[in-house]
């Protein structure tokens, strides 16, 4: 009974309006991990609804994670009470990032090194932990962590030098993004785990965070029903455009590999721009999409999304190889197992380390 009450307090509480916006971002995580899960399950020949084709949604889901990560991290540095000159702030930032990624990541890597069917050697485990390699779904971890290392430099320049000026910041981020674009097309081969290749996606998230911070200081705009309707419409259109982009890209063979062609970098920019527009628009819209994203079930999935991301490929592969059932039944069983292990992983590994954050300087 106590466990049930704690779960309810985490996921089923009725938030106030300001907190609800944060819960909507949890909901975005939920949709992002479902995009990834459905796509990877389809790659193993598993489908819950054969009429739906999730091809391509996996990469789009990871790009959404990238945008959301940069949006949330940059947003904390745009607060008026944030003093970038405090060394304790940066120490706290570094420890929080390590606590967010490494406890569960280490456990998963050790598992991959121990279980023979995963075929990870000791050198593979170490190269992953030191962010030198990213096989399977783990490619996103070194990319994300490298962004953590680069973000303080960007935020110092934006806050201290550019004084959070929206126009100057937009030009600055455009220049950084253009530079990364030029670097990745000459030479054309760039490592899969290179931050430079995916940097424009993160930069869009930073710009979205600054726009959101500016809008929060304009209550007359936020209270306008016209602005709310326009923002809600933009959120819907950006979501439709994102789905349309995924469908259109399916006509290009192996587009999701995104390794060689310079045009693929433009794809990153398109996803970064659309997801960032969606992020800001739904936060300031009339509340239709925000209400869906704030649903307790979607928030629940979003809360355990990191555990799901690290576990799901192993569970899909192992269970799929050992169950001889109809596709929808097998898919449902694998999804249930993934949810169960991810919930346990969240409470046993992730959450205890989250609680250490309260001892760190804010």
């Amino acid at each position: 009974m106590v466990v049930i009450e704690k779960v309810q307090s985490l996921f089923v509480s009725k938030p106030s309006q300001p907190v609800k916006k944060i819960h909507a971002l949890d909901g975005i995580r939920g949709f992002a991990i479902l995009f990834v899960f459905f796509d990877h399950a389809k790659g193993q020949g598993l489908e819950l609804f054969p009429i739906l084709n999730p091809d391509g949604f996996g990469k789009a889901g990871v790009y959404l994670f990238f945008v959301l990560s940069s949006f949330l991290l940059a947003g904390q540095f745009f607060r008026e009470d944030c003093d970038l000159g405090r060394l304790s702030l940066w120490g706290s930032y570094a420890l929080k990032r390590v606590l967010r990624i490494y406890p569960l990541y280490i456990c998963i890597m050790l598992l991959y090194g121990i279980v023979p069917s995963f075929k990870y050697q000791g050198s593979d485990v170490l190269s992953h932990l030191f962010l030198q390699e990213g096989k399977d779904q783990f490619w996103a971890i070194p990319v994300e962590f490298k962004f953590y290392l680069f973000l303080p430099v960007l935020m110092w320049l934006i806050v201290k030098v550019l004084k959070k000026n929206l126009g100057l910041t937009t030009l600055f981020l455009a220049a950084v993004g253009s530079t990364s674009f030029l670097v990745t097309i000459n030479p054309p081969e760039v490592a899969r785990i290179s931050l430079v290749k995916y940097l424009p996606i993160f930069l869009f998230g930073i710009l979205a965070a600054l726009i959101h911070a500016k809008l929060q200081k304009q209550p007359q705009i936020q209270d306008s029903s016209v602005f709310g309707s326009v923002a809600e419409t933009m959120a819907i259109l950006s979501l439709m455009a994102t789905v349309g982009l995924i469908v259109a890209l399916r006509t290009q063979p192996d587009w999701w590999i995104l390794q060689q062609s310079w045009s693929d970098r433009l794809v990153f920019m398109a996803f970064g721009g659309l997801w960032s527009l969606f992020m800001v628009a739904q936060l300031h819209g009339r509340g239709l999409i925000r209400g869906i994203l704030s649903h307790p079930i979607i928030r629940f999935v979003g809360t355990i999304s990191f555990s799901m991301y690290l576990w799901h490929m192993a569970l899909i592969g192992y269970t799929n190889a050992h169950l001889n059932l109809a596709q929808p039944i097998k898919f449902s069983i694998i999804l249930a197992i993934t949810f169960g292990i991810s919930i346990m992983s969240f409470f046993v590994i992730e959450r205890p380390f989250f609680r250490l954050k309260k001892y760190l300087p804010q």
Side-chain angles (χ1 to χ4, degrees):
M1 182 64 69
V2 175
V3 174
I4 294 177
E5 290 176 355
K6 287 187 176 182
V7 172
Q8 288 178 334
S9 67
L10 275 173
F11 305 115
V12 192
S13 58
K14 295 183 179 179
S16 61
Q17 186 64 19
V19 176
K20 196 170 189 175
K21 294 184 178 181
I22 298 176
H23 285 164
L25 298 182
D26 287 335
I28 288 178
R29 286 194 187 94
F31 276 107
I33 190 58
L34 290 178
F35 287 169
V36 174
F37 183 91
F38 274 70
D39 190 356
H40 287 168
K42 174 67 182 300
Q44 295 286 330
L46 297 171
E47 294 177 289
L48 182 60
F49 304 109
I51 193 174
L52 299 178
N53 184 1
D55 283 346
F57 279 84
K59 281 287 187 180
V62 176
Y63 302 153
L64 179 54
F65 276 127
F66 287 168
V67 169
L68 180 59
S69 177
S70 60
F71 178 87
L72 291 172
L73 290 176
Q76 66 181 333
F77 295 116
F78 289 141
R79 296 200 312 261
E80 294 298 330
D81 61 346
C82 182
D83 180 9
L84 299 187
R86 288 191 298 114
L87 291 178
S88 60
L89 172 70
W90 298 113
S92 175
Y93 166 80
L95 286 174
K96 287 178 180 178
R97 294 305 92 209
V98 171
L99 292 174
R100 180 69 186 93
I101 295 292
Y102 266 96
L104 182 57
Y105 189 46
I106 291 173
C107 293
I108 299 292
M109 280 294 102
L110 291 177
L111 178 67
Y112 267 67
I114 293 172
V115 179
S117 60
F118 293 134
K119 299 179 180 179
Y120 273 41
Q121 304 299 321
S123 58
D124 295 322
V125 173
L126 290 177
S127 63
H128 278 76
L129 292 178
F130 285 100
L131 311 177
Q132 299 300 306
E133 193 171 1
K135 295 180 179 179
D136 305 309
Q137 80 275 24
F138 300 122
W139 69 270
I141 303 301
V143 174
E144 179 92 7
F145 212 90
K146 290 172 185 177
F147 173 71
Y148 295 161
L149 298 175
F150 188 47
L151 181 63
V153 177
L154 292 175
M155 298 313 302
W156 182 271
L157 291 172
I158 293 172
V159 175
K160 292 295 187 179
V161 179
L162 302 179
K163 305 299 182 182
K164 294 185 282 190
N165 181 281
L166 182 58
L168 293 176
T169 299
T170 302
L171 292 175
F172 169 68
L173 293 177
V176 175
S178 299
T179 302
S180 71
F181 175 78
L182 294 174
V183 168
T184 57
I185 64 174
N186 186 22
E189 292 191 13
V190 181
R192 188 188 186 200
I193 59 173
S194 168
L195 170 63
V196 178
K197 185 167 61 173
Y198 301 97
L199 185 57
I201 303 176
F202 292 99
L203 298 181
F204 273 111
I206 294 175
L207 182 60
L210 182 57
I211 294 173
H212 174 60
K214 296 288 186 183
L215 289 174
Q216 284 185 309
K217 296 179 182 178
Q218 304 293 330
Q220 69 277 13
I221 295 179
Q222 294 199 83
D223 294 338
S224 169
S225 59
V226 174
F227 177 78
S229 298
V230 171
E232 192 75 24
T233 301
M234 291 176 65
I236 295 172
L237 291 177
S238 61
L239 185 59
M240 292 174 60
T242 303
V243 174
L245 177 61
I246 296 171
V247 174
L249 287 170
R250 287 177 185 163
T251 62
Q252 305 298 318
D254 297 337
W255 72 270
W256 53 86
I257 296 178
L258 302 174
Q259 291 288 335
Q260 303 297 328
S261 175
W262 63 268
S263 62
D264 294 328
R265 282 35 164 194
L266 298 179
V267 171
F268 296 154
M269 295 182 186
F271 275 113
L274 289 171
W275 279 135
S276 296
L277 177 60
F278 172 75
M279 191 88 63
V280 177
Q282 64 86 21
L283 283 173
H284 296 275
R286 296 291 297 272
L288 174 62
I289 294 179
R290 192 169 67 246
I292 297 173
L293 293 173
S294 299
H295 191 278
I297 294 178
I298 303 300
R299 287 192 282 119
F300 171 82
V301 177
T303 302
I304 63 172
S305 60
F306 185 59
S307 283
M308 281 191 67
Y309 185 81
L310 292 186
W311 280 112
H312 77 283
M313 286 291 285
L315 297 175
I316 290 173
Y318 184 84
T319 311
N320 187 37
H322 291 80
L323 284 181
N324 186 19
L325 298 170
Q327 275 196 28
I329 298 176
K330 187 188 295 188
F331 181 99
S332 300
I333 292 174
I334 293 175
L335 182 59
I337 292 174
T338 303
F339 275 136
I341 291 182
S342 298
I343 292 170
M344 181 179 64
S345 175
F346 172 78
F347 281 103
V348 174
I349 302 175
E350 287 192 77
R351 195 160 182 251
F353 285 96
F354 287 167
R355 290 180 170 176
L356 295 178
K357 294 180 180 181
K358 64 182 180 181
Y359 299 108
L360 300 176
Q362 300 299 315

